[in-house]
Structure formats: structure tokens, C-alpha cells
Amino acid sequence: MDKNEEEIAAQNGNLEESSSTKDGSICGYKSLHHLLSVNLKPHLYKEVSRLLIGLNCGKPLELIALPEAAKALSSKHDFDLQELLREPQVVRVGLIQNSLALPTTAPILDQKRAIFQKLKPIIDYTGASGVNILCLQEAWMTPFAFCTREKRWCEFAEPVDGESTRFLQEYARKYNMVIISPILERDVNHGETLWNTAIIIGNHGNIIGKHRKARNAAIANSYFVGSINRVGTETFPNPFTSGDGKPQHADFGHFYGSSHFSAPDASCTPSLSRYKDGLLISDMDLNLCRQLKDKWGFRMTARYELYADLLARYLKPDFEPQVISDPLLHKKSL
């Protein structure tokens, strides 16, 4: 083993040892991109970054120039920040990832109030930074308690115009900002059914609408997508199973953050931290949506009427799926 190999082995040994930390970091680094940017030479990092996240219409992403007063809020309240630019500046979008503010054993009302207080400075930062659209994480008001299948967590559910909406309406008006608020909705007009709903609050504080969401694909639909994952490990008072035959456990595992934006051209931003609350801000050129629609023509060649017809037939009681098989398989050999 030559000297260079010995140095590499020593470095790998140090990395292996430090990777045993349980804070969610990668060898002490807050994200994969952070690790690569610090340890690779600039020209190597540029190429690796291109392979991992693509290019923004052939150009690397640039940092947004944000006010120093706004940046100070990030340090004061200890949340991760990424500012990225997609020229020309048309729409500035932010997304927030966060952990719980109180343990799941705290009273539900206290948990709600605590998460409000936790997000206030981060939302203030987005307003100070000129964000036009702010996206919050799935069920941002609640622990991710669906896995426990306990009824008590339904107490977090609220109507569209409930407490969380009223809280965010104030900020939407204050900062002239549209806010996407995913909540556990209680549909009081239809038997109090519970829905996983995203509420769209307009920049005047009005409720524009709601979407009871499945998953989004930036490329197939020719638009930008914000992918938000919460951070931290949420421990529940009563053990539960995941239906996989494994023993009971009291948590759902570590939520690894790493939230990011994806563009219609398949490029994406570097991700936020794997273990810290964070805010990602990116400027997006919505003209890119039209450019990619024209280039790839997905909608031009789609046949939505065929899907509509198939779905209509599927809903009928006498529907039979189309199964194509070789008739010779069912004949007895001579």
C-alpha cells in the first residue's frame, strides 16, 4: 500500500467511525451535497453535482442575494437555509421541513400551539425574503401518527377554515404570499370524513381551494414540484406494528428531511438537511413549464378519453378485466 492509499484508508476509517452518530447527519455533514461540496475539489464537485441533480437549462444553480437581516433569523432560530436561483426571476417559492415542537405525550392543544410558535420565525423569514408561494410539509400540524391507527390522533383533524388556516391567513395577508397548508381535514359537510388535504390560502388571506392529494411527477406533468419530508424521530406512547411480522415498536423510524424542488426538465435543487428544521427558497421560471411541454409533447400525445372510458367501465358491477392469455395453455397435450 503506497502513501496515497494509506491516506485514503485513514480518511475512510475516520469517516466510518464518525458515521456512527445517531443525529441523522452523514458523517457530521448536514446533507449529501454538503459533504460533497466540502470534500471534493471544485471541478469534481461541479461534475458530481451535474450527475446528481442535473442542470438548470444547461446552467448550474446560483445563490439568491437575500437581505442580511433575513439571514440573521436563520442563525438566531437554528434552521437550515438554502437559497437557489432559477433565472429569470419570476416566482419565488419556499418550502419548510420541520420536526415536532413537543413530544407526542404532550396535550394535543399544547402540541398545536407549540408548532405555531416554532414556525412563526421561519414564516417571517420567508416574508422578509420576498417568497411568493410557501409550501408546508404533509400534516404539518400533527405528529405522523397514521401508522399507530389510534383514534386519539383524529383530534388533530380540523375543517378547512379551522385553527391552522386562520393562523396562516394572517401571514398570507401580511406578506402578500400564497401558502399551501397540508392538514388532516375533517369534512363536516360529508359525515365528518377525514382527508389528507392541501389547502391553498391566497395572498389576500382567502381560501382559494383545496386538493385531496395522491403523488406528483415534475417531468410527466411539466411543472415544478416541492418534495417535503419532515425531520426527526417521533416516538408514540403506545407501541404498534407495521403489519410486516416484525416486533412492536414505538416510533416510525427517522424522518430524514432532505426536502428539495424538482423542475420540469428533471433537474432538482440540492436538498435541505437530513436532521435539522429547514427552509429552502428557489426562484422558478414558469416559462420552463411551457418550454418542456412543447419539447416533449406528453399532453399532445396523451389519450385521456381512453382512461375516462376505461374508468367508467371499471366502476360497473359487471366489469371484467382484459386478460390476454395463450389459448393453447388450457388444452390438454395429445
Side-chain angles (χ1 to χ4, degrees):
M1 182 181 292
D2 60 26
K3 184 176 180 181
N4 289 334
E5 290 175 332
E6 290 176 353
E7 291 177 353
I8 293 173
Q11 292 173 359
N12 289 339
N14 291 335
L15 287 176
E16 184 178 352
E17 181 179 354
S18 62
S19 65
S20 62
T21 58
K22 297 181 179 180
D23 61 359
S25 68
I26 304 176
C27 304
Y29 296 92
K30 64 182 181 180
S31 67
L32 174 62
H33 294 283
H34 184 210
L35 182 152
L36 294 174
S37 64
V38 171
N39 290 281
L40 292 180
K41 294 181 178 179
H43 70 283
L44 291 177
Y45 174 69
K46 180 179 179 180
E47 180 63 11
V48 170
S49 181
R50 181 188 69 81
L51 293 173
L52 287 176
I53 64 175
L55 292 175
N56 174 34
C57 292
K59 300 178 181 178
L61 296 175
E62 301 174 10
L63 293 179
I64 300 171
L66 296 177
E68 290 300 324
K71 290 183 179 180
L73 285 171
S74 171
S75 300
K76 179 179 178 181
H77 296 281
D78 191 32
F79 58 85
D80 186 34
L81 175 67
Q82 297 280 354
E83 318 114 277
L84 298 156
L85 173 66
R86 294 186 181 278
E87 292 186 343
Q89 299 181 28
V90 178
V91 179
R92 181 166 290 184
V93 185
L95 61 78
I96 296 175
Q97 68 176 34
N98 59 272
S99 57
L100 297 182
L102 289 178
T104 60
T105 51
I108 288 179
L109 184 58
D110 291 348
Q111 291 188 56
K112 287 184 177 182
R113 290 172 176 169
I115 206 69
F116 286 161
Q117 293 301 317
K118 183 172 192 174
L119 261 60
K120 276 183 178 180
I122 308 180
I123 298 176
D124 281 328
Y125 181 95
T126 65
S129 301
V131 167
N132 305 117
I133 302 173
L134 174 62
C135 309
L136 302 181
Q137 67 190 23
E138 181 182 21
W140 65 275
M141 281 262 304
T142 74
F144 203 81
F146 310 108
C147 52
T148 69
R149 299 180 291 282
E150 291 184 340
K151 293 181 180 179
R152 69 183 296 257
W153 305 112
C154 296
E155 293 302 312
F156 279 100
E158 57 181 300
V160 168
D161 58 352
E163 185 179 10
S164 65
T165 297
R166 295 193 296 272
F167 167 76
L168 294 173
Q169 283 175 318
E170 176 185 346
Y171 286 95
R173 287 189 291 263
K174 180 178 180 180
Y175 293 117
N176 192 34
M177 180 169 59
V178 173
I179 302 178
I180 313 299
S181 174
I183 66 166
L184 181 60
E185 178 200 355
R186 185 178 293 277
D187 188 354
V188 295
N189 295 322
H190 298 90
E192 299 204 356
T193 304
L194 299 182
W195 298 95
N196 189 0
T197 300
I199 300 171
I200 299 90
I201 302 172
N203 59 316
H204 299 292
N206 56 314
I207 299 175
I208 296 176
K210 62 183 178 183
H211 180 60
R212 290 164 180 167
K213 49 201 168 49
R215 291 179 115 181
N216 297 325
I219 301 174
N221 294 285
S222 305
Y223 51 39
F224 292 91
V225 172
S227 302
I228 313 176
N229 184 31
R230 59 181 62 205
V231 289
T233 300
E234 301 177 357
T235 303
F236 296 93
N238 300 318
F240 56 91
T241 65
S242 298
D244 54 4
K246 295 181 179 180
Q248 289 184 335
H249 42 89
D251 64 75
F252 193 56
H254 180 75
F255 291 98
Y256 56 87
S258 305
S259 304
H260 63 279
F261 287 114
S262 302
D265 64 355
S267 63
C268 58
T269 65
S271 61
L272 284 173
S273 169
R274 290 173 57 91
Y275 59 94
K276 289 183 66 175
D277 296 345
L279 168 64
L280 177 63
I281 298 176
S282 180
D283 284 344
M284 301 178 179
D285 179 10
L286 298 186
N287 289 329
L288 185 60
C289 301
R290 174 178 289 184
Q291 293 168 10
L292 269 297
K293 286 178 184 176
D294 293 345
K295 179 178 180 180
W296 287 341
F298 287 154
R299 297 193 179 187
M300 178 179 66
T301 57
R303 296 294 179 262
Y304 298 114
E305 69 280 2
L306 298 180
Y307 296 112
D309 177 65
L310 179 61
L311 181 59
R313 288 190 284 114
Y314 176 80
L315 294 175
K316 295 181 179 179
D318 59 349
F319 173 79
E320 293 184 4
Q322 182 185 23
V323 178
I324 300 175
S325 62
D326 185 349
L328 295 179
L329 293 176
H330 304 290
K331 287 187 177 183
K332 294 182 179 179
S333 58
L334 298 177

